[in-house]
Amino acid sequence: MTAQLSDYDYDLPKELIAQRPPEHRDDSLMMVLHRDTHTIEHRQFRQLKTFLKKGDLLVLNDTQVLPARRFSNDGAIEFLFLERLGPGRWTCLVKPGRKMRVGATAQIGNIILCVEKITSDGERIVVLNEDVDLYSGGSMPLPPYVRRESDTEDAARYQTVFAHTPGALAAPTAGLHFTPEILSEIPHTCVTLHVGTGTFLPVRSENIAEHRMHAERFAISYSAATRINEAERIVAVGTTVVRMLEAARREDGKLSAQEGTTAIFIYPPYRFHAVDVLLTNFHLPRSTLLMLVSAFAGREFLLRAYQEAIRERYRFYSYGDCMLIL
């Protein structure tokens, strides 16, 4: 296994980056990777159940994406509100940053905000002239590779049907394929990890071991922990679930109810202890998510599968198709 960033690269034609969700959630293609034989099948997501066994348990991330994206009244500045720090004080990301230095102001609706501080990460701490909920009236914070503004369709489709606990700034996209009907036929439980903006941060060091992840909050209920401990196989729906379960597992291999944060960074070589099967979308080149899936499937096998997905014209990233790794 390699820890070099350049070994997790691939070329993707831009037209394969999904800009819109499919007409129906379960319309997606599903590439099936068999790790034992290094063989690949091309299926439909609706066929997921046929690959599951008695005793399998699907583990889903029920985080709910916050409508955190807002624009100044003149449309010149885009805000992504990360967290309310207290009455009238928020942290946010802004674009373009040069227009929002310390002391700069902008107006959103009837609210005037002023930049109080710029953190070492480039985040802005802003003060409002009135304490309001900035998520009220906001829109979905679509990832940067979706080259359009979010709309009413995204309000529903950039959210899983099982989203329950508000707190995410990005969707756990492997869960976007599920419908209530499909879930009703498969044993499942939910845990919570609030996906932050760190999921989109590039790895800048050629030695990937030097990269540091942003911490993300998670919660596992007693009932979820009990069901996970009793399952014969764990089918993780998405990389967020993998990170949470691997970080929260005790030394005896079991899981307990807990709340906390994790900054776990999974890359090859890594021995998985809590996850047996992974359902995931296709990920950006040179990304921490691609590295995690490479650790699960094997880097060379995974990159070969990505090249086949490109030849077969799969749709990539958040609104794209998915991959089941057995």
Side-chain angles (χ1 to χ4, degrees), residues 32 51 137 171 240 281 298:
V32 182
F51 291 95
T240 60
N281 279 19

Side-chain angles (χ1 to χ4, degrees), residues 137-152:
S139 60
M140 286 291 107
L142 295 180
Y145 46 75
V146 176
R147 303 288 185 177
R148 59 177 179 81
E149 292 187 15
S150 56
D151 55 27
T152 53

Side-chain angles (χ1 to χ4, degrees), residues 2-6 8 193 198-216 218 239-240 242-248 261-273 283-296:
T2 175
Q4 300 303 303
L5 178 61
S6 55
Y8 298 91
L193 183 140
T199 192
F200 299 120
L201 288 179
V203 179
R204 301 191 184 280
S205 53
E206 178 59 24
N207 179 0
I208 63 174
E210 297 174 359
H211 181 71
R212 295 293 176 264
M213 300 285 287
H214 281 195
E216 294 171 316
F218 72 89
T239 56
T240 60
V242 174
R243 294 181 64 239
M244 188 180 351
L245 296 184
E246 293 293 326
T261 61
T262 179
I264 188 173
F265 178 22
I266 297 175
Y267 59 91
Y270 177 88
R271 183 183 176 189
F272 289 83
H273 300 281
H283 302 293
L284 276 74
R286 304 164 76 95
S287 65
T288 60
L289 304 182
L290 184 66
M291 293 166 195
L292 182 153
V293 182
S294 293
F296 193 80

Side-chain angles (χ1 to χ4, degrees), residues 48 70 85 136 188 194 197-198 210 218 220 242 263 266 324 326:
L48 172 65
R70 301 292 300 264
L85 300 176
S136 178
H188 62 276
H194 293 309
T197 55
E210 297 174 359
F218 72 89
I220 302 170
V242 174
I266 297 175
L324 180 67
L326 299 170

